[in-house]
Amino acid sequence: MPSMNAVLFLSFLLFSVGVAGVLIRRNVLIILMCVELMLNAANLNLVAFARHSGTVNGQAFALLVMGLAAAEVAIGLALVVALYRKKDTIQVDQINLLKG
Amino acid sequence: MIMQSTVSSALSLPIHSSVLWLIPFLPLFGAILNGATGRWVKSSKLVDAIALGSVALSFLLVLCCFARLLGQAPENRSVNQTLWTWFDLGGAHVLGGVTQNTMAWAYKFDPLSGAMALLVTGVGFLIHLFSTGYMGEERNNGTYYRFMAYLNLFVFSMLNLVLGANMIIMFLGWEGVGLCSYLLIGFYFEKEFCAIAGKKAFVTNRIGDFGFLVGFFLIFMVFGATDFDTLMGMTRGILAMPQITLFGITHAPTWWFNLIGCCLFLGACGKSAQIPLYVWLPDAMAGPTPVSALIHAATMVTSGLYMITRMNFIYINAPVALTLVLCIGSLTALVAASMGLAQYDIKKVLAYSTVSQLGFMFMGMGAGAFSAGMFHVFTHAFFKAALFLGSGSVILACHHEQDMRNLGGLRKHMPWTFASMGIATLAIAGIFPFSGFFSKDEILWKVFEGWYAGGSVLSLAAWIMGMVAAFMTAFYMVRLMVMTFFGEYRGAGHSDPYGLTVPSEVAHHAAHDDGHGHHEVHVPSEVPWNMWLPVAILAALALIGGFLNIPHSLHWIGSSHFTAWITPLLFQTGPHVHEAVPAMEYLLMAVATLVWAPGAMALAWWFYGADPTWSKPKAFVQRFPVLFRWVNAKYYVDEFYEAAFIGPCKQLGAQLWAFDSLAVDGMVNGAARFTLLAGHASHWFDAKIVDGLVNLVAWILQQVSLGFRKFQSGRVQNYAFVMFLGFLVFAFWKFLA
């Protein structure tokens, strides 16, 4: 049974990798995957604290977030397809119409 | 009798009125046709046909109308035709209130205008015929059609003047003849003196027209009408008014009639060349000779007389104006006749003679004898047109020599012309039974009667002046005839034993004549038939014309048809009384025709004819050099006008021009310059200050936004990074709290 601290540290690592991926990687698909990483880091936190407090509220939240993530991926991938059709690329550094 | 005449007038009226308008318009059509197409017409015979044909047709129409008029009772002798309404005043404020008078284009054919129309078309046709010969040189240089078109236009204008049924149409003709006179005097406008003479005639006439217009306006203000029949009918009513107030001035009707009469007389002075406006007529001799005969002797210059006769209802009731007419007329008759004594130019002599004869006519009018004055118009038209045309023949035969000192002896070469001019000379001198005797004697008697029957002493003075003028008339006419037709021909290349000739422009003309042969020793010959025939016809009329109006005192010869013809048109002041003829009239008549005129003629013959060396006139000039110089220089009237009026006018014009160019133009230019300057300043302010402010704001915004632009990288990850940083700061801050 891993300790509470170890779980929280893993969650922290996962989240950090997700943030770094979102901020650094150029490929939209990778960015979306990193977003999933961050969501799952949050899920891990929720489950860990649920076990620590002995209630099921946190676990219920985690289930809800998974469902939400599935919906989010569907929308996100649809946006990526639309983007590709429009700009012929999925590299975010080449999509800079908002440049001032 | 009355019923019969009514019936006959009812029958003939439609025929009259439908053709009346053709009388003036036929010559107009001729003028338009010739003026518009003559330039391209190859044969000048066609121009002749149009010009002469239109006037001849017009003359025949006048004859028809005249014959119809003769067949009617005196009170019905008037035919009117209204063509159209020329313009509508739409209500004008006049003495009698608001008048709705419309100005109609209307003609009126009555004894007076009919007789004048007969004169204008008849004499006009003869002079057209004469012109076909006289203007022969112009056939080749392309100006012939222009001359004929002008002549036709003149006939149209003159017919408007005499046939017009109201003052507007009369004024139209009045101005039209002035225009044609200007055009024809300046016909040779490439010569400067012709152009100047034309301008002089026009400007002088304008001064007279001013008076005519003022008189016309006054008549309209007083009567509220313009057509002659209405005016005549209203006169009695106007006279019955106690007083008339116009423009805030109140006077008796007679005072206003006097004013109107004087104003109109100023117009007559201009048109009929009376003192002080006579100066244009002698200069008008610069025009071709047929023009001098038609316009400046027979017709146009008599329009003043016609107008006064037409307006007799004004003059009869305007004693002061009538006296003015008498004085000016007699003075002009005397002064102009004396000027004619010392002229050498054959046309100038005739010009002054015309002025003088016009003075006689005005004298008759001034004495209240309108029919006598009008009768002299007719006889004068005959003999003066004959004289002018005769002089034209002489001038043409002698290659444009006009100086009588270089003529002479033409009696043998030009018998027809000599005979015709001789008859005309006897007529103008007033020898019984030539026409001039009847007309001039009648005038002089009426003037004398004005004093003799208890009138003012002015009439006696006028009569004396008239008698002296008549004496001079006979003198200068015989002088003209002797210098031109007697002795030996003194033209270029001929013997001149007495040294009478003077250098003239002819040498210059002959040089330019070389095209058709040399004329070094030139013998003048009789002119062709189309030139001597009109002169002969006019001379014949001058011979017999007098019998149309035999004075009452000579009723055993015939009766005074002309007076009876005109009298119904005159304003009747009272019942006409036939007085017994005073013995005085017979005495004066006998003196005039047996002593006075023959005396003058004998004197002239003794001076110039009996002695071919002209020693007596030369001695006379030697003895009275100052007198001769003054008369020869026409009393320096032209020079006086130049110094007294024309010079100051020109100076005033120059000063006004200077004021115009300095002050008025200066103001305009100054305003323009100021506007330009203000525009420049405004432009500078706009560009630098207003635009500068706007640009400054934009510039500041641009500079400020340069920093902010950097944040807008367009990269989603940058925005996400900032968001993450913000979240971290928030979390850190929460942690610290």
PDB file of all heavy atoms in Angstrom, chain A residues 19 22-26 31 92 95-96 98-100, chain B residues 709 712-717 719-722 724 727:
ATOM      1  N   VAL A  19       1.744  19.796 -17.818  1.00  0.00           N
ATOM      2  CA  VAL A  19       1.890  21.259 -18.039  1.00  0.00           C
ATOM      3  C   VAL A  19       3.044  21.522 -19.008  1.00  0.00           C
ATOM      4  O   VAL A  19       2.906  22.293 -19.958  1.00  0.00           O
ATOM      5  CB  VAL A  19       2.114  21.971 -16.700  1.00  0.00           C
ATOM      6  CG1 VAL A  19       2.589  23.402 -16.931  1.00  0.00           C
ATOM      7  CG2 VAL A  19       0.850  22.007 -15.898  1.00  0.00           C
ATOM      8  N   VAL A  22       1.998  20.639 -22.491  1.00  0.00           N
ATOM      9  CA  VAL A  22       1.064  21.652 -23.081  1.00  0.00           C
ATOM     10  C   VAL A  22       1.828  22.893 -23.505  1.00  0.00           C
ATOM     11  O   VAL A  22       1.597  23.490 -24.571  1.00  0.00           O
ATOM     12  CB  VAL A  22      -0.057  21.990 -22.090  1.00  0.00           C
ATOM     13  CG1 VAL A  22      -0.780  23.264 -22.490  1.00  0.00           C
ATOM     14  CG2 VAL A  22      -1.041  20.855 -21.997  1.00  0.00           C
ATOM     15  N   LEU A  23       2.811  23.333 -22.656  1.00  0.00           N
ATOM     16  CA  LEU A  23       3.485  24.607 -22.931  1.00  0.00           C
ATOM     17  C   LEU A  23       4.587  24.457 -23.986  1.00  0.00           C
ATOM     18  O   LEU A  23       4.947  25.422 -24.643  1.00  0.00           O
ATOM     19  CB  LEU A  23       4.078  25.172 -21.652  1.00  0.00           C
ATOM     20  CG  LEU A  23       3.068  25.624 -20.583  1.00  0.00           C
ATOM     21  CD1 LEU A  23       3.796  26.235 -19.409  1.00  0.00           C
ATOM     22  CD2 LEU A  23       2.112  26.655 -21.175  1.00  0.00           C
ATOM     23  N   ILE A  24       5.121  23.277 -24.154  1.00  0.00           N
ATOM     24  CA  ILE A  24       6.318  23.157 -24.974  1.00  0.00           C
ATOM     25  C   ILE A  24       6.036  22.494 -26.324  1.00  0.00           C
ATOM     26  O   ILE A  24       6.514  22.946 -27.352  1.00  0.00           O
ATOM     27  CB  ILE A  24       7.405  22.378 -24.206  1.00  0.00           C
ATOM     28  CG1 ILE A  24       7.888  23.244 -23.049  1.00  0.00           C
ATOM     29  CG2 ILE A  24       8.589  22.052 -25.100  1.00  0.00           C
ATOM     30  CD1 ILE A  24       8.698  22.459 -22.029  1.00  0.00           C
ATOM     31  N   ARG A  25       5.259  21.422 -26.363  1.00  0.00           N
ATOM     32  CA  ARG A  25       5.094  20.672 -27.588  1.00  0.00           C
ATOM     33  C   ARG A  25       4.299  21.458 -28.626  1.00  0.00           C
ATOM     34  O   ARG A  25       3.414  22.251 -28.303  1.00  0.00           O
ATOM     35  CB  ARG A  25       4.418  19.319 -27.317  1.00  0.00           C
ATOM     36  CG  ARG A  25       5.239  18.400 -26.436  1.00  0.00           C
ATOM     37  CD  ARG A  25       6.633  18.184 -27.050  1.00  0.00           C
ATOM     38  NE  ARG A  25       6.560  17.504 -28.297  1.00  0.00           N
ATOM     39  CZ  ARG A  25       6.835  16.193 -28.486  1.00  0.00           C
ATOM     40  NH1 ARG A  25       7.185  15.442 -27.467  1.00  0.00           N
ATOM     41  NH2 ARG A  25       6.765  15.640 -29.674  1.00  0.00           N
ATOM     42  N   ARG A  26       4.594  21.242 -29.945  1.00  0.00           N
ATOM     43  CA  ARG A  26       3.942  22.022 -31.002  1.00  0.00           C
ATOM     44  C   ARG A  26       2.763  21.269 -31.591  1.00  0.00           C
ATOM     45  O   ARG A  26       1.867  21.884 -32.137  1.00  0.00           O
ATOM     46  CB  ARG A  26       4.959  22.325 -32.121  1.00  0.00           C
ATOM     47  CG  ARG A  26       6.198  23.064 -31.646  1.00  0.00           C
ATOM     48  CD  ARG A  26       5.896  24.548 -31.554  1.00  0.00           C
ATOM     49  NE  ARG A  26       6.674  25.181 -30.498  1.00  0.00           N
ATOM     50  CZ  ARG A  26       7.911  25.621 -30.639  1.00  0.00           C
ATOM     51  NH1 ARG A  26       8.523  25.474 -31.773  1.00  0.00           N
ATOM     52  NH2 ARG A  26       8.552  26.191 -29.661  1.00  0.00           N
ATOM     53  N   ILE A  31      -0.451  17.922 -27.404  1.00  0.00           N
ATOM     54  CA  ILE A  31      -0.978  18.861 -26.389  1.00  0.00           C
ATOM     55  C   ILE A  31      -2.251  18.287 -25.770  1.00  0.00           C
ATOM     56  O   ILE A  31      -2.441  18.302 -24.551  1.00  0.00           O
ATOM     57  CB  ILE A  31      -1.224  20.230 -27.024  1.00  0.00           C
ATOM     58  CG1 ILE A  31       0.120  20.898 -27.352  1.00  0.00           C
ATOM     59  CG2 ILE A  31      -2.007  21.125 -26.055  1.00  0.00           C
ATOM     60  CD1 ILE A  31       0.016  22.169 -28.141  1.00  0.00           C
ATOM     61  N   VAL A  92       0.975  24.211 -33.751  1.00  0.00           N
ATOM     62  CA  VAL A  92       0.352  25.440 -33.213  1.00  0.00           C
ATOM     63  C   VAL A  92       1.194  26.681 -33.488  1.00  0.00           C
ATOM     64  O   VAL A  92       0.672  27.773 -33.575  1.00  0.00           O
ATOM     65  CB  VAL A  92       0.089  25.315 -31.703  1.00  0.00           C
ATOM     66  CG1 VAL A  92      -1.115  24.484 -31.408  1.00  0.00           C
ATOM     67  CG2 VAL A  92       1.311  24.817 -30.986  1.00  0.00           C
ATOM     68  N   ILE A  95       0.020  28.540 -36.478  1.00  0.00           N
ATOM     69  CA  ILE A  95      -1.347  29.096 -36.423  1.00  0.00           C
ATOM     70  C   ILE A  95      -1.302  30.312 -35.516  1.00  0.00           C
ATOM     71  O   ILE A  95      -1.448  30.212 -34.314  1.00  0.00           O
ATOM     72  CB  ILE A  95      -2.338  28.043 -35.920  1.00  0.00           C
ATOM     73  CG1 ILE A  95      -2.290  26.818 -36.847  1.00  0.00           C
ATOM     74  CG2 ILE A  95      -3.743  28.604 -35.887  1.00  0.00           C
ATOM     75  CD1 ILE A  95      -2.949  25.633 -36.256  1.00  0.00           C
ATOM     76  N   ASN A  96      -1.041  31.497 -36.160  1.00  0.00           N
ATOM     77  CA  ASN A  96      -0.852  32.704 -35.316  1.00  0.00           C
ATOM     78  C   ASN A  96      -1.633  33.892 -35.881  1.00  0.00           C
ATOM     79  O   ASN A  96      -1.120  34.987 -35.978  1.00  0.00           O
ATOM     80  CB  ASN A  96       0.628  33.024 -35.185  1.00  0.00           C
ATOM     81  CG  ASN A  96       1.289  33.232 -36.539  1.00  0.00           C
ATOM     82  OD1 ASN A  96       0.648  33.032 -37.571  1.00  0.00           O
ATOM     83  ND2 ASN A  96       2.530  33.622 -36.534  1.00  0.00           N
ATOM     84  N   LEU A  98      -3.802  35.616 -34.636  1.00  0.00           N
ATOM     85  CA  LEU A  98      -4.087  36.640 -33.636  1.00  0.00           C
ATOM     86  C   LEU A  98      -2.865  37.490 -33.326  1.00  0.00           C
ATOM     87  O   LEU A  98      -2.902  38.314 -32.445  1.00  0.00           O
ATOM     88  CB  LEU A  98      -4.597  35.990 -32.347  1.00  0.00           C
ATOM     89  CG  LEU A  98      -6.048  35.511 -32.401  1.00  0.00           C
ATOM     90  CD1 LEU A  98      -6.411  34.799 -31.118  1.00  0.00           C
ATOM     91  CD2 LEU A  98      -6.978  36.689 -32.601  1.00  0.00           C
ATOM     92  N   LYS A  99      -1.769  37.319 -34.115  1.00  0.00           N
ATOM     93  CA  LYS A  99      -0.559  38.084 -33.822  1.00  0.00           C
ATOM     94  C   LYS A  99      -0.812  39.576 -33.992  1.00  0.00           C
ATOM     95  O   LYS A  99      -1.352  40.023 -34.983  1.00  0.00           O
ATOM     96  CB  LYS A  99       0.555  37.640 -34.765  1.00  0.00           C
ATOM     97  CG  LYS A  99       1.903  38.273 -34.528  1.00  0.00           C
ATOM     98  CD  LYS A  99       2.923  37.616 -35.453  1.00  0.00           C
ATOM     99  CE  LYS A  99       4.187  38.449 -35.599  1.00  0.00           C
ATOM    100  NZ  LYS A  99       4.887  38.650 -34.325  1.00  0.00           N
ATOM    101  N   GLY A 100      -0.429  40.357 -33.072  1.00  0.00           N
ATOM    102  CA  GLY A 100      -0.678  41.805 -33.097  1.00  0.00           C
ATOM    103  C   GLY A 100       0.337  42.541 -33.908  1.00  0.00           C
ATOM    104  O   GLY A 100       1.402  42.033 -34.213  1.00  0.00           O
TER     105      GLY A 100
ATOM    106  N   ARG B 709       2.025  45.413 -28.477  1.00  0.00           N
ATOM    107  CA  ARG B 709       1.944  44.483 -29.596  1.00  0.00           C
ATOM    108  C   ARG B 709       2.757  43.220 -29.327  1.00  0.00           C
ATOM    109  O   ARG B 709       2.423  42.141 -29.805  1.00  0.00           O
ATOM    110  CB  ARG B 709       2.465  45.149 -30.867  1.00  0.00           C
ATOM    111  CG  ARG B 709       1.455  46.031 -31.555  1.00  0.00           C
ATOM    112  CD  ARG B 709       2.080  46.744 -32.707  1.00  0.00           C
ATOM    113  NE  ARG B 709       2.396  45.814 -33.794  1.00  0.00           N
ATOM    114  CZ  ARG B 709       3.048  46.168 -34.879  1.00  0.00           C
ATOM    115  NH1 ARG B 709       3.448  47.425 -35.021  1.00  0.00           N
ATOM    116  NH2 ARG B 709       3.292  45.299 -35.829  1.00  0.00           N
ATOM    117  N   GLN B 712       0.949  40.297 -28.047  1.00  0.00           N
ATOM    118  CA  GLN B 712       0.036  39.603 -28.958  1.00  0.00           C
ATOM    119  C   GLN B 712       0.863  38.770 -29.929  1.00  0.00           C
ATOM    120  O   GLN B 712       0.979  39.097 -31.095  1.00  0.00           O
ATOM    121  CB  GLN B 712      -0.813  40.624 -29.721  1.00  0.00           C
ATOM    122  CG  GLN B 712      -1.593  41.550 -28.846  1.00  0.00           C
ATOM    123  CD  GLN B 712      -2.771  40.860 -28.224  1.00  0.00           C
ATOM    124  OE1 GLN B 712      -3.319  39.927 -28.777  1.00  0.00           O
ATOM    125  NE2 GLN B 712      -3.155  41.275 -27.017  1.00  0.00           N
ATOM    126  N   SER B 713       1.462  37.695 -29.463  1.00  0.00           N
ATOM    127  CA  SER B 713       2.315  36.899 -30.342  1.00  0.00           C
ATOM    128  C   SER B 713       1.508  36.040 -31.287  1.00  0.00           C
ATOM    129  O   SER B 713       1.997  35.609 -32.302  1.00  0.00           O
ATOM    130  CB  SER B 713       3.222  35.999 -29.509  1.00  0.00           C
ATOM    131  OG  SER B 713       2.411  35.065 -28.819  1.00  0.00           O
ATOM    132  N   GLY B 714       0.247  35.771 -30.933  1.00  0.00           N
ATOM    133  CA  GLY B 714      -0.570  34.896 -31.774  1.00  0.00           C
ATOM    134  C   GLY B 714      -0.343  33.421 -31.445  1.00  0.00           C
ATOM    135  O   GLY B 714      -0.991  32.559 -32.014  1.00  0.00           O
ATOM    136  N   ARG B 715       0.567  33.117 -30.540  1.00  0.00           N
ATOM    137  CA  ARG B 715       0.841  31.711 -30.202  1.00  0.00           C
ATOM    138  C   ARG B 715       0.030  31.291 -28.981  1.00  0.00           C
ATOM    139  O   ARG B 715       0.150  31.893 -27.904  1.00  0.00           O
ATOM    140  CB  ARG B 715       2.320  31.502 -29.907  1.00  0.00           C
ATOM    141  CG  ARG B 715       3.155  31.728 -31.141  1.00  0.00           C
ATOM    142  CD  ARG B 715       4.580  31.403 -30.858  1.00  0.00           C
ATOM    143  NE  ARG B 715       5.336  31.514 -32.096  1.00  0.00           N
ATOM    144  CZ  ARG B 715       6.557  31.035 -32.228  1.00  0.00           C
ATOM    145  NH1 ARG B 715       7.142  30.422 -31.222  1.00  0.00           N
ATOM    146  NH2 ARG B 715       7.196  31.167 -33.373  1.00  0.00           N
ATOM    147  N   VAL B 716      -0.769  30.291 -29.147  1.00  0.00           N
ATOM    148  CA  VAL B 716      -1.681  29.868 -28.084  1.00  0.00           C
ATOM    149  C   VAL B 716      -0.895  29.456 -26.818  1.00  0.00           C
ATOM    150  O   VAL B 716      -1.300  29.757 -25.705  1.00  0.00           O
ATOM    151  CB  VAL B 716      -2.532  28.679 -28.555  1.00  0.00           C
ATOM    152  CG1 VAL B 716      -3.581  28.330 -27.531  1.00  0.00           C
ATOM    153  CG2 VAL B 716      -3.169  29.020 -29.871  1.00  0.00           C
ATOM    154  N   GLN B 717       0.265  28.895 -27.066  1.00  0.00           N
ATOM    155  CA  GLN B 717       1.032  28.367 -25.918  1.00  0.00           C
ATOM    156  C   GLN B 717       1.556  29.474 -25.028  1.00  0.00           C
ATOM    157  O   GLN B 717       1.631  29.330 -23.816  1.00  0.00           O
ATOM    158  CB  GLN B 717       2.167  27.494 -26.426  1.00  0.00           C
ATOM    159  CG  GLN B 717       1.633  26.169 -26.939  1.00  0.00           C
ATOM    160  CD  GLN B 717       2.641  25.397 -27.735  1.00  0.00           C
ATOM    161  OE1 GLN B 717       3.352  25.997 -28.562  1.00  0.00           O
ATOM    162  NE2 GLN B 717       2.740  24.104 -27.513  1.00  0.00           N
ATOM    163  N   TYR B 719      -0.050  32.266 -24.498  1.00  0.00           N
ATOM    164  CA  TYR B 719      -1.192  32.664 -23.671  1.00  0.00           C
ATOM    165  C   TYR B 719      -1.388  31.655 -22.545  1.00  0.00           C
ATOM    166  O   TYR B 719      -1.633  32.038 -21.408  1.00  0.00           O
ATOM    167  CB  TYR B 719      -2.467  32.766 -24.519  1.00  0.00           C
ATOM    168  CG  TYR B 719      -2.339  33.721 -25.706  1.00  0.00           C
ATOM    169  CD1 TYR B 719      -3.051  33.525 -26.870  1.00  0.00           C
ATOM    170  CD2 TYR B 719      -1.475  34.807 -25.606  1.00  0.00           C
ATOM    171  CE1 TYR B 719      -2.929  34.362 -27.931  1.00  0.00           C
ATOM    172  CE2 TYR B 719      -1.355  35.654 -26.680  1.00  0.00           C
ATOM    173  CZ  TYR B 719      -2.076  35.427 -27.829  1.00  0.00           C
ATOM    174  OH  TYR B 719      -1.927  36.237 -28.865  1.00  0.00           O
ATOM    175  N   ALA B 720      -1.243  30.380 -22.879  1.00  0.00           N
ATOM    176  CA  ALA B 720      -1.431  29.331 -21.867  1.00  0.00           C
ATOM    177  C   ALA B 720      -0.374  29.458 -20.769  1.00  0.00           C
ATOM    178  O   ALA B 720      -0.677  29.324 -19.582  1.00  0.00           O
ATOM    179  CB  ALA B 720      -1.337  27.975 -22.537  1.00  0.00           C
ATOM    180  N   PHE B 721       0.863  29.766 -21.199  1.00  0.00           N
ATOM    181  CA  PHE B 721       1.941  29.938 -20.234  1.00  0.00           C
ATOM    182  C   PHE B 721       1.625  31.052 -19.262  1.00  0.00           C
ATOM    183  O   PHE B 721       1.759  30.916 -18.036  1.00  0.00           O
ATOM    184  CB  PHE B 721       3.233  30.202 -20.993  1.00  0.00           C
ATOM    185  CG  PHE B 721       4.412  30.425 -20.114  1.00  0.00           C
ATOM    186  CD1 PHE B 721       4.899  29.381 -19.287  1.00  0.00           C
ATOM    187  CD2 PHE B 721       5.059  31.660 -20.023  1.00  0.00           C
ATOM    188  CE1 PHE B 721       5.993  29.576 -18.456  1.00  0.00           C
ATOM    189  CE2 PHE B 721       6.146  31.850 -19.195  1.00  0.00           C
ATOM    190  CZ  PHE B 721       6.616  30.817 -18.410  1.00  0.00           C
ATOM    191  N   VAL B 722       1.144  32.236 -19.837  1.00  0.00           N
ATOM    192  CA  VAL B 722       0.797  33.375 -18.969  1.00  0.00           C
ATOM    193  C   VAL B 722      -0.310  32.975 -18.006  1.00  0.00           C
ATOM    194  O   VAL B 722      -0.265  33.287 -16.800  1.00  0.00           O
ATOM    195  CB  VAL B 722       0.379  34.575 -19.840  1.00  0.00           C
ATOM    196  CG1 VAL B 722      -0.152  35.695 -18.979  1.00  0.00           C
ATOM    197  CG2 VAL B 722       1.561  35.067 -20.655  1.00  0.00           C
ATOM    198  N   PHE B 724      -0.959  30.061 -16.896  1.00  0.00           N
ATOM    199  CA  PHE B 724      -0.393  29.158 -15.882  1.00  0.00           C
ATOM    200  C   PHE B 724       0.372  29.921 -14.819  1.00  0.00           C
ATOM    201  O   PHE B 724       0.208  29.697 -13.617  1.00  0.00           O
ATOM    202  CB  PHE B 724       0.504  28.145 -16.593  1.00  0.00           C
ATOM    203  CG  PHE B 724       1.094  27.133 -15.686  1.00  0.00           C
ATOM    204  CD1 PHE B 724       0.272  26.196 -15.030  1.00  0.00           C
ATOM    205  CD2 PHE B 724       2.466  27.098 -15.419  1.00  0.00           C
ATOM    206  CE1 PHE B 724       0.826  25.271 -14.179  1.00  0.00           C
ATOM    207  CE2 PHE B 724       2.998  26.159 -14.551  1.00  0.00           C
ATOM    208  CZ  PHE B 724       2.192  25.255 -13.939  1.00  0.00           C
ATOM    209  N   PHE B 727      -1.958  31.513 -12.592  1.00  0.00           N
ATOM    210  CA  PHE B 727      -2.500  30.534 -11.639  1.00  0.00           C
ATOM    211  C   PHE B 727      -1.512  30.292 -10.500  1.00  0.00           C
ATOM    212  O   PHE B 727      -1.888  30.276  -9.327  1.00  0.00           O
ATOM    213  CB  PHE B 727      -2.805  29.231 -12.387  1.00  0.00           C
ATOM    214  CG  PHE B 727      -3.097  28.082 -11.496  1.00  0.00           C
ATOM    215  CD1 PHE B 727      -4.304  28.019 -10.790  1.00  0.00           C
ATOM    216  CD2 PHE B 727      -2.158  27.070 -11.288  1.00  0.00           C
ATOM    217  CE1 PHE B 727      -4.561  26.959  -9.939  1.00  0.00           C
ATOM    218  CE2 PHE B 727      -2.422  26.011 -10.412  1.00  0.00           C
ATOM    219  CZ  PHE B 727      -3.634  25.940  -9.761  1.00  0.00           C
TER     220      PHE B 727
END
